[in-house]
Amino acid sequence: MKLSILLCLFVVISVFSQRSYDEVIKTDGKIQDLVQNEITGVIVFKGEGKISGINPETKKIIWTLTKEDYGNASTMELLDDADLDKMFKEKKALKSVPNSPYVEVNINSKFLIVNTDTGKIVYNSSKEPFWVIQSDFLPETNEYLLTLKEKGNMNIALIDLVSGNIKWKTSVDKAKSIFSFSLKDVGNVNKAQVNGATIYYLLYGKLYSFNRDSGKLNWKSEEDYTKFFPTQNDNNVVVINSTGTFSTKDYLNVLSTETGKSIWKESIKTKSIVYLEDWGTKLLIAHFSGFNFFDLKTGEKIWKKDARGDGLKKVIPIDKDFLYVAENEMMLINKDGEKLWKNFIEIADDKADPIFYLGKVREKVMYLTGTYGNMVDYKSGKKLWKRNIKFDKDRPVLPTYDESTNSYLVYNDEKLYKFNPSIDDKPEPFAKVDIKREKELNSIEMFPWGVSLSGPVEVMGVGLDGSVKYHLTYSQPGETGRQLLKGVATAGSIALSAASAVTGIQGSEWTMTTRDEDGNVTSSVVKQKDKAKLNQSGAAAEGAAAMAMVAAKFGSRFNAMKQNRDFSYIFAKAETGEKMLVKVRKSDGVEVDKLVFKNNHPIYEIDPATQNIFYVLDDSIEIFNKK
């Protein structure tokens, strides 16, 4: 029976042959870069001396900018500056700005901000006597903070995107200091944040406080920091300094917002800060050596004893309780630091084992680590199963959750497990599969009939009865060093499912959660990397008419672009040697489309809203309509 199913599938997928583009946009020079704005959907490309925008629905060029619009090269670009020359070579020509309709353009050493909806240049640095080194969009106010090099100084400027004018410019340091950091580290080092009438800017290790209206520098920090978090009382800033390549330490302290000086006698020094909460008059700080409340004003411990003395590595707030992992064990405590379970629960063989999922599922706590899987009763802390599922820690562990049936499917070591809180003991695998490139698997999707597993060059569907519904594998041209672009990451096989239990754990970075004195969450600023959130910028930009308009106009398109669980897009090599992009439907394994690509490093965008594909080939943009 399985053989006949596979034979039928072979016939189905073989019907589709490779095809060329449906439409093409020709330009008068080689296309250097192409991006899609996540809000408006406009495809922006840069050619020789031109920047253009394409409407994703009509597939027509709706605006074009030339030198007449953004200006000719100035004499500044002829100056001999090795550092700046290196910097501009490393920068991409185009960058779509998350949570906005804007795209940044670096052209002839100029810095432009373009509204992709209208093609209007909302800021142009060509007539300015400075170089733009760093740029930070402030969605709260629809403004931009720019870091500049000007006459040997490093300046900060605030740009109003409505008028395109510089609201203020303030000198902060000598320019030579800005090149002590690698450009690749800038995103991790520099951060701007609006907090009421103040702009805080962590720039190359130093924290600056500016008056947002006038640009007056309130203060510059005496020490170097890597993270900062304004507190809810507006009187303090929590700062962290992560130091050392070989000897990693975190130092946490609290500064006065008036002076920028520490209000604590000494910093908390630990191997790593794990989790932070602001409770108004006290801070909950979980770090490698302990888990405790500290008085915000004095830094003194409020609890007499740490919840755990060593090896703390993860904290998950659940209502007013805290589930945390220390070394290879977990415990549940309340806001007073009291243990709610009688014993710690071992969740892994080794303290270095990764945690793939840990969280509350209704009245149960489920954990999936590099070695074990099990469920625990939330109130009693007792394991539901007498035996753990034993995972191979050297192989991927991929879970997915089906809310309608309150069931999990988990993949590990070519086996699939299904379980839910109602079963008495660990489940045996319901399927054993032969994955060719297992370590590259990165997506698991649940369907009514079973589960789909996928990676960059492989897609498999497995029924709940254990039968293999389909299995497609491909070879990839120019695999070594090939750049996977944002379009693929958004809509293709390398994106984790939005419904996957693992999504919220992997790829996230914490900041600081705010609670009232009773422990009720008032706001959380935990953010997910690489997943823009329009609702955050929309709410923050309540007073910014431009951003509010964008949110209303393009909200539905943005929602369509968040995730695509239905298809895998695989860059592959046919038996004839031709290159192609294969579109595979995960629900049944059918190769819906095969598109002819002609180079090993393709630049392309997949528009998730229309499923049209825009592919760059020399001086053309080839458009493949949805099939």
Side-chain angles (χ1 to χ4, degrees):
M1 182 66 179
K2 290 184 181 179
L3 178 62
S4 63
I5 292 174
L6 290 175
L7 286 174
C8 290
L9 179 59
F10 178 78
V11 171
V12 171
I13 65 177
S14 298
V15 169
F16 298 96
S17 59
Q18 290 172 252
R19 69 181 181 96
S20 295
Y21 57 85
D22 297 292
E23 303 175 51
V24 64
I25 296 175
K26 297 286 289 185
T27 66
D28 52 6
K30 187 174 181 179
I31 297 172
Q32 301 166 6
D33 203 0
L34 175 142
V35 298
Q36 182 177 28
N37 182 267
E38 64 184 17
I39 301 295
T40 65
V42 172
I43 308 289
V44 180
F45 69 92
K46 178 181 177 294
E48 294 182 359
K50 290 183 179 180
I51 307 156
S52 300
I54 303 172
N55 182 299
E57 277 83 20
T58 65
K59 292 160 283 186
K60 304 295 183 183
I61 293 177
I62 53 176
W63 51 261
T64 295
L65 302 173
T66 66
K67 289 182 179 179
E68 293 181 356
D69 299 295
Y70 53 77
N72 294 315
S74 66
T75 55
M76 283 183 60
E77 287 139 12
L78 303 178
L79 296 176
D80 184 16
D81 192 321
D83 284 324
L84 289 170
D85 183 60
K86 179 177 181 292
M87 183 192 74
F88 287 118
K89 285 181 179 178
E90 288 184 14
K91 283 191 172 185
K92 281 178 57 58
L94 301 173
K95 175 190 172 185
S96 183
V97 182
N99 294 325
S100 83
Y102 306 119
V103 64
E104 294 179 2
V105 182
N106 291 290
I107 185 166
N108 295 334
S109 304
K110 296 179 177 64
F111 175 78
L112 311 179
I113 304 172
V114 179
N115 185 327
T116 59
D117 182 32
T118 61
K120 177 184 177 182
I121 299 175
V122 294
Y123 179 72
N124 186 348
S125 73
S126 63
K127 296 181 180 180
E128 307 290 358
F130 52 68
W131 306 87
V132 177
I133 307 299
Q134 167 85 9
S135 57
D136 292 270
F137 175 56
L138 305 177
E140 304 96 329
T141 54
N142 195 34
E143 296 170 324
Y144 246 89
L145 203 60
L146 301 183
T147 306
L148 318 170
K149 181 182 179 183
E150 182 178 5
K151 296 179 181 178
N153 290 325
M154 182 168 67
N155 299 334
I156 305 299
L158 187 69
I159 309 299
D160 176 15
L161 294 183
V162 176
S163 66
N165 297 327
I166 296 177
K167 296 183 71 172
W168 50 257
K169 184 170 61 175
T170 304
S171 181
V172 293
D173 207 342
K174 295 297 182 183
K176 62 180 182 180
S177 65
I178 68 173
F179 296 106
S180 60
F181 289 85
S182 165
L183 287 174
K184 295 179 181 178
D185 297 331
V186 165
N188 297 324
V189 173
N190 297 344
K191 177 188 174 184
Q193 182 177 335
V194 176
N195 192 54
T198 304
I199 293 179
Y200 293 104
Y201 201 15
L202 184 64
L203 184 65
Y204 302 101
K206 295 297 183 184
L207 181 61
Y208 300 86
S209 169
F210 299 95
N211 180 291
R212 189 174 71 83
D213 293 327
S214 67
K216 178 186 175 183
L217 178 62
N218 299 319
W219 49 260
K220 171 186 173 182
S221 67
E222 298 173 351
E223 305 291 334
D224 287 347
Y225 303 112
T226 51
K227 294 179 182 178
F228 72 94
F229 313 109
T231 57
Q232 60 180 303
N233 63 16
D234 289 331
N235 296 323
N236 304 107
V237 181
V238 178
V239 288
I240 296 174
N241 185 16
S242 300
T243 63
T245 302
F246 302 103
S247 177
T248 302
K249 291 288 183 182
D250 280 354
Y251 296 83
L252 183 144
N253 211 322
V254 176
L255 308 182
S256 163
T257 55
E258 288 188 7
T259 65
K261 297 183 182 299
S262 171
I263 64 170
W264 287 3
K265 292 181 181 179
E266 58 183 19
S267 300
I268 295 175
K269 179 181 177 182
T270 182
K271 186 175 180 180
S272 61
I273 302 293
V274 179
Y275 183 76
L276 286 177
E277 286 192 355
D278 173 8
W279 287 56
T281 59
K282 55 189 176 182
L283 292 175
L284 179 75
I285 304 174
H287 55 100
F288 185 82
S289 302
F291 185 28
N292 214 313
F293 272 109
F294 292 80
D295 185 277
L296 179 61
K297 291 183 179 180
T298 65
E300 299 294 326
K301 287 185 180 180
I302 293 176
W303 291 342
K304 293 181 180 179
K305 206 165 142 183
D306 289 339
R308 177 76 183 209
D310 197 26
L312 199 71
K313 61 182 181 181
K314 184 178 286 291
V315 175
I316 299 172
I318 302 175
D319 299 325
K320 296 182 183 181
D321 301 330
F322 300 94
L323 182 67
Y324 73 94
V325 177
E327 295 185 342
N328 61 329
E329 297 178 319
M330 73 175 177
M331 172 56 70
L332 184 71
I333 64 172
N334 63 22
K335 64 184 178 66
D336 297 316
E338 299 167 337
K339 294 180 180 178
L340 299 180
W341 294 344
K342 185 176 180 181
N343 300 308
F344 279 87
I345 296 172
E346 186 180 75
I347 64 172
D349 277 344
D350 192 285
K351 62 183 181 181
D353 284 350
I355 299 171
F356 295 103
Y357 182 75
L358 177 64
K360 189 178 180 183
V361 183
R362 298 186 182 176
E363 293 306 312
K364 311 294 188 298
V365 173
M366 190 186 87
Y367 60 87
L368 296 171
T369 70
T371 47
Y372 294 144
N374 208 327
M375 285 195 170
V376 175
D377 182 82
Y378 183 76
K379 292 182 178 179
S380 67
K382 292 182 179 179
K383 289 186 179 181
L384 295 179
W385 307 334
K386 298 175 183 177
R387 302 172 297 162
N388 292 311
I389 296 177
K390 179 70 175 178
F391 295 130
D392 185 334
K393 65 180 181 180
D394 296 323
R395 316 289 283 268
V397 176
L398 289 176
T400 186
Y401 175 61
D402 180 27
E403 189 173 0
S404 61
T405 61
N406 196 27
S407 299
Y408 280 85
L409 282 179
V410 181
Y411 170 88
N412 174 251
D413 191 19
E414 299 190 327
K415 302 180 185 71
L416 281 163
Y417 303 85
K418 182 182 179 182
F419 58 90
N420 60 58
S422 65
I423 59 180
D424 297 326
D425 205 351
K426 74 165 189 174
E428 296 300 323
F430 71 87
K432 295 184 179 182
V433 296
D434 182 18
I435 294 289
K436 302 301 181 185
R437 298 174 68 162
E438 184 190 57
K439 290 190 175 181
E440 295 180 4
L441 288 180
N442 45 38
S443 179
I444 180 170
E445 307 281 358
M446 186 176 285
F447 295 91
W449 52 265
V451 65
S452 171
L453 299 163
S454 58
V457 293
E458 188 169 12
V459 189
M460 175 184 281
V462 184
L464 294 177
D465 60 356
S467 64
V468 176
K469 301 294 186 184
Y470 62 85
H471 187 192
L472 305 176
T473 61
Y474 304 86
S475 60
Q476 202 168 51
E479 287 186 66
T480 305
R482 188 177 71 84
Q483 183 185 18
L484 289 171
L485 297 183
K486 181 177 71 68
V488 188
T490 302
S493 64
I494 70 170
L496 283 170
S497 164
S500 172
V502 78
T503 304
I505 302 298
Q506 294 180 339
S508 64
E509 62 177 21
W510 56 268
T511 53
M512 188 162 66
T513 297
T514 301
R515 295 179 186 255
D516 61 24
E517 289 291 343
D518 295 325
N520 301 305
V521 174
T522 54
S523 67
S524 178
V525 285
V526 175
K527 66 177 181 178
Q528 304 294 324
K529 285 184 180 176
D530 303 324
K531 287 189 178 181
K533 294 193 174 179
L534 179 64
N535 60 333
Q536 288 182 354
S537 64
E542 199 168 2
M547 288 302 297
M549 177 192 70
V550 167
K553 185 175 180 181
F554 298 105
S556 60
R557 161 166 281 279
F558 177 83
N559 292 333
M561 298 182 73
K562 280 185 178 179
Q563 191 66 252
N564 190 340
R565 71 184 297 270
D566 299 320
F567 300 101
S568 281
Y569 293 86
I570 297 174
F571 182 51
K573 181 169 61 177
E575 291 182 3
T576 59
E578 292 181 286
K579 304 170 186 68
M580 59 183 177
L581 188 71
V582 185
K583 180 180 180 180
V584 180
R585 190 164 57 218
K586 293 181 181 180
S587 63
D588 54 15
V590 170
E591 291 178 335
V592 178
D593 212 353
K594 294 180 182 179
L595 314 178
V596 175
F597 277 16
K598 296 180 180 179
N599 48 20
N600 285 345
H601 300 269
I603 298 176
Y604 60 99
E605 288 281 2
I606 303 167
D607 179 13
T610 63
Q611 294 184 36
N612 296 332
I613 296 173
F614 298 78
Y615 164 60
V616 172
L617 184 63
D618 298 326
D619 62 349
S620 302
I621 296 177
E622 297 181 352
I623 304 171
F624 298 85
N625 295 335
K626 171 188 173 182
K627 293 291 184 183

